[in-house]
PDB file of all heavy atoms in Angstrom:
ATOM      1  N   ASP A 118       0.830  -1.211   0.000  1.00  0.00           N
ATOM      2  CA  ASP A 118       0.000   0.000   0.000  1.00  0.00           C
ATOM      3  C   ASP A 118       0.862   1.259   0.000  1.00  0.00           C
ATOM      4  O   ASP A 118       0.583   2.214  -0.734  1.00  0.00           O
ATOM      5  CB  ASP A 118      -0.934   0.023   1.210  1.00  0.00           C
ATOM      6  CG  ASP A 118      -2.017  -1.036   1.122  1.00  0.00           C
ATOM      7  OD1 ASP A 118      -2.291  -1.528   0.008  1.00  0.00           O
ATOM      8  OD2 ASP A 118      -2.594  -1.368   2.177  1.00  0.00           O
ATOM      9  N   GLU A 119       1.899   1.269   0.826  1.00  0.00           N
ATOM     10  CA  GLU A 119       2.784   2.436   0.885  1.00  0.00           C
ATOM     11  C   GLU A 119       3.483   2.664  -0.449  1.00  0.00           C
ATOM     12  O   GLU A 119       3.615   3.801  -0.914  1.00  0.00           O
ATOM     13  CB  GLU A 119       3.813   2.258   1.999  1.00  0.00           C
ATOM     14  CG  GLU A 119       3.226   2.313   3.391  1.00  0.00           C
ATOM     15  CD  GLU A 119       4.174   1.815   4.460  1.00  0.00           C
ATOM     16  OE1 GLU A 119       5.114   1.046   4.152  1.00  0.00           O
ATOM     17  OE2 GLU A 119       3.976   2.208   5.626  1.00  0.00           O
ATOM     18  N   ASN A 120       3.925   1.565  -1.075  1.00  0.00           N
ATOM     19  CA  ASN A 120       4.588   1.678  -2.373  1.00  0.00           C
ATOM     20  C   ASN A 120       3.615   2.202  -3.431  1.00  0.00           C
ATOM     21  O   ASN A 120       3.981   3.025  -4.264  1.00  0.00           O
ATOM     22  CB  ASN A 120       5.174   0.332  -2.798  1.00  0.00           C
ATOM     23  CG  ASN A 120       6.004   0.475  -4.050  1.00  0.00           C
ATOM     24  OD1 ASN A 120       6.886   1.324  -4.120  1.00  0.00           O
ATOM     25  ND2 ASN A 120       5.712  -0.343  -5.047  1.00  0.00           N
ATOM     26  N   TYR A 121       2.371   1.750  -3.380  1.00  0.00           N
ATOM     27  CA  TYR A 121       1.360   2.223  -4.324  1.00  0.00           C
ATOM     28  C   TYR A 121       1.134   3.728  -4.157  1.00  0.00           C
ATOM     29  O   TYR A 121       1.099   4.474  -5.134  1.00  0.00           O
ATOM     30  CB  TYR A 121       0.049   1.455  -4.119  1.00  0.00           C
ATOM     31  CG  TYR A 121      -1.078   1.964  -4.984  1.00  0.00           C
ATOM     32  CD1 TYR A 121      -1.152   1.604  -6.323  1.00  0.00           C
ATOM     33  CD2 TYR A 121      -2.036   2.822  -4.469  1.00  0.00           C
ATOM     34  CE1 TYR A 121      -2.173   2.083  -7.133  1.00  0.00           C
ATOM     35  CE2 TYR A 121      -3.065   3.306  -5.263  1.00  0.00           C
ATOM     36  CZ  TYR A 121      -3.134   2.926  -6.594  1.00  0.00           C
ATOM     37  OH  TYR A 121      -4.135   3.405  -7.392  1.00  0.00           O
ATOM     38  N   ILE A 122       1.002   4.163  -2.909  1.00  0.00           N
ATOM     39  CA  ILE A 122       0.792   5.594  -2.629  1.00  0.00           C
ATOM     40  C   ILE A 122       1.992   6.407  -3.108  1.00  0.00           C
ATOM     41  O   ILE A 122       1.827   7.451  -3.749  1.00  0.00           O
ATOM     42  CB  ILE A 122       0.526   5.817  -1.128  1.00  0.00           C
ATOM     43  CG1 ILE A 122      -0.822   5.217  -0.746  1.00  0.00           C
ATOM     44  CG2 ILE A 122       0.569   7.301  -0.783  1.00  0.00           C
ATOM     45  CD1 ILE A 122      -1.062   5.123   0.743  1.00  0.00           C
ATOM     46  N   LEU A 123       3.200   5.926  -2.805  1.00  0.00           N
ATOM     47  CA  LEU A 123       4.408   6.618  -3.254  1.00  0.00           C
ATOM     48  C   LEU A 123       4.427   6.731  -4.776  1.00  0.00           C
ATOM     49  O   LEU A 123       4.684   7.800  -5.329  1.00  0.00           O
ATOM     50  CB  LEU A 123       5.661   5.891  -2.758  1.00  0.00           C
ATOM     51  CG  LEU A 123       6.995   6.404  -3.323  1.00  0.00           C
ATOM     52  CD1 LEU A 123       7.231   7.860  -2.942  1.00  0.00           C
ATOM     53  CD2 LEU A 123       8.127   5.520  -2.862  1.00  0.00           C
ATOM     54  N   THR A 124       4.125   5.653  -5.449  1.00  0.00           N
ATOM     55  CA  THR A 124       4.150   5.652  -6.912  1.00  0.00           C
ATOM     56  C   THR A 124       3.112   6.616  -7.482  1.00  0.00           C
ATOM     57  O   THR A 124       3.401   7.367  -8.419  1.00  0.00           O
ATOM     58  CB  THR A 124       3.907   4.226  -7.443  1.00  0.00           C
ATOM     59  OG1 THR A 124       4.918   3.366  -6.909  1.00  0.00           O
ATOM     60  CG2 THR A 124       3.952   4.183  -8.959  1.00  0.00           C
ATOM     61  N   GLN A 125       1.915   6.619  -6.906  1.00  0.00           N
ATOM     62  CA  GLN A 125       0.869   7.522  -7.394  1.00  0.00           C
ATOM     63  C   GLN A 125       1.263   8.982  -7.186  1.00  0.00           C
ATOM     64  O   GLN A 125       1.067   9.822  -8.066  1.00  0.00           O
ATOM     65  CB  GLN A 125      -0.466   7.229  -6.697  1.00  0.00           C
ATOM     66  CG  GLN A 125      -1.040   5.866  -7.028  1.00  0.00           C
ATOM     67  CD  GLN A 125      -1.192   5.642  -8.522  1.00  0.00           C
ATOM     68  OE1 GLN A 125      -1.766   6.454  -9.215  1.00  0.00           O
ATOM     69  NE2 GLN A 125      -0.635   4.545  -9.008  1.00  0.00           N
ATOM     70  N   LYS A 126       1.812   9.293  -6.032  1.00  0.00           N
ATOM     71  CA  LYS A 126       2.229  10.672  -5.755  1.00  0.00           C
ATOM     72  C   LYS A 126       3.398  11.077  -6.651  1.00  0.00           C
ATOM     73  O   LYS A 126       3.469  12.215  -7.122  1.00  0.00           O
ATOM     74  CB  LYS A 126       2.587  10.847  -4.279  1.00  0.00           C
ATOM     75  CG  LYS A 126       1.364  10.818  -3.388  1.00  0.00           C
ATOM     76  CD  LYS A 126       1.710  11.111  -1.953  1.00  0.00           C
ATOM     77  CE  LYS A 126       0.448  11.162  -1.106  1.00  0.00           C
ATOM     78  NZ  LYS A 126       0.706  11.609   0.249  1.00  0.00           N
ATOM     79  N   TRP A 127       4.308  10.150  -6.881  1.00  0.00           N
ATOM     80  CA  TRP A 127       5.438  10.438  -7.760  1.00  0.00           C
ATOM     81  C   TRP A 127       4.941  10.714  -9.181  1.00  0.00           C
ATOM     82  O   TRP A 127       5.345  11.695  -9.808  1.00  0.00           O
ATOM     83  CB  TRP A 127       6.427   9.272  -7.739  1.00  0.00           C
ATOM     84  CG  TRP A 127       7.409   9.292  -8.874  1.00  0.00           C
ATOM     85  CD1 TRP A 127       8.269  10.301  -9.182  1.00  0.00           C
ATOM     86  CD2 TRP A 127       7.617   8.276  -9.843  1.00  0.00           C
ATOM     87  NE1 TRP A 127       9.012   9.965 -10.288  1.00  0.00           N
ATOM     88  CE2 TRP A 127       8.624   8.727 -10.716  1.00  0.00           C
ATOM     89  CE3 TRP A 127       7.058   7.029 -10.053  1.00  0.00           C
ATOM     90  CZ2 TRP A 127       9.078   7.959 -11.793  1.00  0.00           C
ATOM     91  CZ3 TRP A 127       7.512   6.261 -11.112  1.00  0.00           C
ATOM     92  CH2 TRP A 127       8.512   6.739 -11.970  1.00  0.00           C
ATOM     93  N   LYS A 128       4.032   9.872  -9.692  1.00  0.00           N
ATOM     94  CA  LYS A 128       3.503  10.066 -11.048  1.00  0.00           C
ATOM     95  C   LYS A 128       2.764  11.397 -11.158  1.00  0.00           C
ATOM     96  O   LYS A 128       2.872  12.098 -12.164  1.00  0.00           O
ATOM     97  CB  LYS A 128       2.571   8.915 -11.422  1.00  0.00           C
ATOM     98  CG  LYS A 128       3.312   7.626 -11.721  1.00  0.00           C
ATOM     99  CD  LYS A 128       2.346   6.515 -12.072  1.00  0.00           C
ATOM    100  CE  LYS A 128       3.081   5.219 -12.346  1.00  0.00           C
ATOM    101  NZ  LYS A 128       2.161   4.110 -12.629  1.00  0.00           N
ATOM    102  N   ALA A 129       2.015  11.746 -10.107  1.00  0.00           N
ATOM    103  CA  ALA A 129       1.266  13.010 -10.121  1.00  0.00           C
ATOM    104  C   ALA A 129       2.194  14.216 -10.107  1.00  0.00           C
ATOM    105  O   ALA A 129       1.821  15.301 -10.570  1.00  0.00           O
ATOM    106  CB  ALA A 129       0.313  13.066  -8.929  1.00  0.00           C
ATOM    107  N   SER A 130       3.400  14.042  -9.599  1.00  0.00           N
ATOM    108  CA  SER A 130       4.337  15.163  -9.508  1.00  0.00           C
ATOM    109  C   SER A 130       5.003  15.477 -10.841  1.00  0.00           C
ATOM    110  O   SER A 130       5.585  16.537 -11.002  1.00  0.00           O
ATOM    111  CB  SER A 130       5.417  14.852  -8.470  1.00  0.00           C
ATOM    112  OG  SER A 130       6.339  13.903  -8.996  1.00  0.00           O
ATOM    113  N   ASN A 131       4.956  14.553 -11.786  1.00  0.00           N
ATOM    114  CA  ASN A 131       5.614  14.705 -13.092  1.00  0.00           C
ATOM    115  C   ASN A 131       7.129  14.868 -12.977  1.00  0.00           C
ATOM    116  O   ASN A 131       7.761  15.433 -13.865  1.00  0.00           O
ATOM    117  CB  ASN A 131       5.022  15.880 -13.885  1.00  0.00           C
ATOM    118  CG  ASN A 131       3.607  15.602 -14.314  1.00  0.00           C
ATOM    119  OD1 ASN A 131       3.268  14.484 -14.680  1.00  0.00           O
ATOM    120  ND2 ASN A 131       2.770  16.614 -14.261  1.00  0.00           N
ATOM    121  N   MET A 132       7.698  14.381 -11.895  1.00  0.00           N
ATOM    122  CA  MET A 132       9.158  14.418 -11.750  1.00  0.00           C
ATOM    123  C   MET A 132       9.736  13.227 -12.511  1.00  0.00           C
ATOM    124  O   MET A 132       9.070  12.213 -12.713  1.00  0.00           O
ATOM    125  CB  MET A 132       9.560  14.391 -10.289  1.00  0.00           C
ATOM    126  CG  MET A 132       9.120  15.636  -9.548  1.00  0.00           C
ATOM    127  SD  MET A 132       9.717  15.667  -7.869  1.00  0.00           S
ATOM    128  CE  MET A 132      10.786  17.065  -7.953  1.00  0.00           C
ATOM    129  N   LYS A 133      11.017  13.359 -12.903  1.00  0.00           N
ATOM    130  CA  LYS A 133      11.645  12.345 -13.747  1.00  0.00           C
ATOM    131  C   LYS A 133      11.850  11.013 -13.038  1.00  0.00           C
ATOM    132  O   LYS A 133      11.728   9.956 -13.642  1.00  0.00           O
ATOM    133  CB  LYS A 133      12.980  12.851 -14.273  1.00  0.00           C
ATOM    134  CG  LYS A 133      12.844  13.988 -15.244  1.00  0.00           C
ATOM    135  CD  LYS A 133      14.201  14.431 -15.734  1.00  0.00           C
ATOM    136  CE  LYS A 133      14.054  15.615 -16.669  1.00  0.00           C
ATOM    137  NZ  LYS A 133      15.347  16.066 -17.172  1.00  0.00           N
ATOM    138  N   SER A 134      12.190  11.063 -11.761  1.00  0.00           N
ATOM    139  CA  SER A 134      12.491   9.815 -11.059  1.00  0.00           C
ATOM    140  C   SER A 134      11.942   9.851  -9.640  1.00  0.00           C
ATOM    141  O   SER A 134      11.700  10.919  -9.080  1.00  0.00           O
ATOM    142  CB  SER A 134      14.007   9.584 -11.013  1.00  0.00           C
ATOM    143  OG  SER A 134      14.602  10.548 -10.167  1.00  0.00           O
ATOM    144  N   LYS A 135      11.773   8.658  -9.085  1.00  0.00           N
ATOM    145  CA  LYS A 135      11.347   8.575  -7.689  1.00  0.00           C
ATOM    146  C   LYS A 135      12.416   9.175  -6.779  1.00  0.00           C
ATOM    147  O   LYS A 135      12.103   9.777  -5.759  1.00  0.00           O
ATOM    148  CB  LYS A 135      11.074   7.128  -7.278  1.00  0.00           C
ATOM    149  CG  LYS A 135       9.721   6.617  -7.680  1.00  0.00           C
ATOM    150  CD  LYS A 135       9.470   5.245  -7.080  1.00  0.00           C
ATOM    151  CE  LYS A 135       8.178   4.666  -7.594  1.00  0.00           C
ATOM    152  NZ  LYS A 135       7.946   3.316  -7.084  1.00  0.00           N
ATOM    153  N   SER A 136      13.674   9.000  -7.148  1.00  0.00           N
ATOM    154  CA  SER A 136      14.753   9.555  -6.328  1.00  0.00           C
ATOM    155  C   SER A 136      14.642  11.061  -6.223  1.00  0.00           C
ATOM    156  O   SER A 136      14.755  11.631  -5.134  1.00  0.00           O
ATOM    157  CB  SER A 136      16.116   9.182  -6.916  1.00  0.00           C
ATOM    158  OG  SER A 136      16.343   7.810  -6.765  1.00  0.00           O
ATOM    159  N   SER A 137      14.414  11.729  -7.349  1.00  0.00           N
ATOM    160  CA  SER A 137      14.297  13.188  -7.302  1.00  0.00           C
ATOM    161  C   SER A 137      13.041  13.599  -6.548  1.00  0.00           C
ATOM    162  O   SER A 137      13.039  14.592  -5.811  1.00  0.00           O
ATOM    163  CB  SER A 137      14.307  13.787  -8.706  1.00  0.00           C
ATOM    164  OG  SER A 137      13.231  13.303  -9.471  1.00  0.00           O
ATOM    165  N   PHE A 138      11.971  12.821  -6.687  1.00  0.00           N
ATOM    166  CA  PHE A 138      10.738  13.097  -5.955  1.00  0.00           C
ATOM    167  C   PHE A 138      10.977  12.992  -4.447  1.00  0.00           C
ATOM    168  O   PHE A 138      10.608  13.883  -3.681  1.00  0.00           O
ATOM    169  CB  PHE A 138       9.640  12.121  -6.391  1.00  0.00           C
ATOM    170  CG  PHE A 138       8.362  12.248  -5.621  1.00  0.00           C
ATOM    171  CD1 PHE A 138       7.512  13.323  -5.817  1.00  0.00           C
ATOM    172  CD2 PHE A 138       7.998  11.273  -4.702  1.00  0.00           C
ATOM    173  CE1 PHE A 138       6.326  13.436  -5.105  1.00  0.00           C
ATOM    174  CE2 PHE A 138       6.826  11.381  -3.994  1.00  0.00           C
ATOM    175  CZ  PHE A 138       5.982  12.467  -4.194  1.00  0.00           C
ATOM    176  N   LEU A 139      11.637  11.927  -4.013  1.00  0.00           N
ATOM    177  CA  LEU A 139      11.914  11.732  -2.588  1.00  0.00           C
ATOM    178  C   LEU A 139      12.880  12.791  -2.058  1.00  0.00           C
ATOM    179  O   LEU A 139      12.705  13.282  -0.937  1.00  0.00           O
ATOM    180  CB  LEU A 139      12.460  10.330  -2.339  1.00  0.00           C
ATOM    181  CG  LEU A 139      11.430   9.214  -2.518  1.00  0.00           C
ATOM    182  CD1 LEU A 139      12.104   7.849  -2.505  1.00  0.00           C
ATOM    183  CD2 LEU A 139      10.359   9.295  -1.457  1.00  0.00           C
ATOM    184  N   ARG A 140      13.890  13.157  -2.852  1.00  0.00           N
ATOM    185  CA  ARG A 140      14.797  14.232  -2.425  1.00  0.00           C
ATOM    186  C   ARG A 140      14.033  15.531  -2.225  1.00  0.00           C
ATOM    187  O   ARG A 140      14.253  16.255  -1.249  1.00  0.00           O
ATOM    188  CB  ARG A 140      15.917  14.431  -3.447  1.00  0.00           C
ATOM    189  CG  ARG A 140      17.114  13.547  -3.241  1.00  0.00           C
ATOM    190  CD  ARG A 140      18.301  13.991  -4.069  1.00  0.00           C
ATOM    191  NE  ARG A 140      18.004  14.119  -5.488  1.00  0.00           N
ATOM    192  CZ  ARG A 140      18.049  13.112  -6.361  1.00  0.00           C
ATOM    193  NH1 ARG A 140      18.380  11.901  -5.953  1.00  0.00           N
ATOM    194  NH2 ARG A 140      17.775  13.310  -7.622  1.00  0.00           N
ATOM    195  N   HIS A 141      13.117  15.819  -3.137  1.00  0.00           N
ATOM    196  CA  HIS A 141      12.312  17.039  -3.020  1.00  0.00           C
ATOM    197  C   HIS A 141      11.477  17.006  -1.740  1.00  0.00           C
ATOM    198  O   HIS A 141      11.379  18.012  -1.028  1.00  0.00           O
ATOM    199  CB  HIS A 141      11.415  17.195  -4.249  1.00  0.00           C
ATOM    200  CG  HIS A 141      10.636  18.473  -4.249  1.00  0.00           C
ATOM    201  ND1 HIS A 141      11.177  19.662  -4.671  1.00  0.00           N
ATOM    202  CD2 HIS A 141       9.378  18.750  -3.861  1.00  0.00           C
ATOM    203  CE1 HIS A 141      10.284  20.615  -4.546  1.00  0.00           C
ATOM    204  NE2 HIS A 141       9.172  20.085  -4.061  1.00  0.00           N
ATOM    205  N   LEU A 142      10.878  15.850  -1.439  1.00  0.00           N
ATOM    206  CA  LEU A 142      10.102  15.729  -0.206  1.00  0.00           C
ATOM    207  C   LEU A 142      10.982  15.925   1.025  1.00  0.00           C
ATOM    208  O   LEU A 142      10.586  16.582   1.986  1.00  0.00           O
ATOM    209  CB  LEU A 142       9.417  14.360  -0.128  1.00  0.00           C
ATOM    210  CG  LEU A 142       8.192  14.162  -0.996  1.00  0.00           C
ATOM    211  CD1 LEU A 142       7.684  12.733  -0.856  1.00  0.00           C
ATOM    212  CD2 LEU A 142       7.101  15.132  -0.619  1.00  0.00           C
ATOM    213  N   ILE A 143      12.178  15.364   0.994  1.00  0.00           N
ATOM    214  CA  ILE A 143      13.084  15.495   2.139  1.00  0.00           C
ATOM    215  C   ILE A 143      13.487  16.954   2.334  1.00  0.00           C
ATOM    216  O   ILE A 143      13.504  17.463   3.452  1.00  0.00           O
ATOM    217  CB  ILE A 143      14.330  14.601   1.946  1.00  0.00           C
ATOM    218  CG1 ILE A 143      13.935  13.128   2.063  1.00  0.00           C
ATOM    219  CG2 ILE A 143      15.423  14.949   2.945  1.00  0.00           C
ATOM    220  CD1 ILE A 143      15.004  12.166   1.593  1.00  0.00           C
TER     221      ILE A 143
END
């Protein structure tokens, strides 16, 4: 479930990678 939520939020952000998305969140 957590991975699904992360993936959905990452896709909605239109960022290139999950890594850049997570760095932005941090």
Side-chain angles (χ1 to χ4, degrees):
D118 291 340
E119 291 166 338
N120 187 52
Y121 175 79
I122 292 168
L123 172 61
T124 302
Q125 294 305 309
K126 288 185 176 187
W127 164 57
K128 286 179 181 177
S130 75
N131 292 322
M132 294 185 115
K133 292 181 182 180
S134 69
K135 278 187 186 177
S136 291
S137 60
F138 175 73
L139 290 170
R140 273 193 306 275
H141 184 82
L142 284 177
I143 290 167

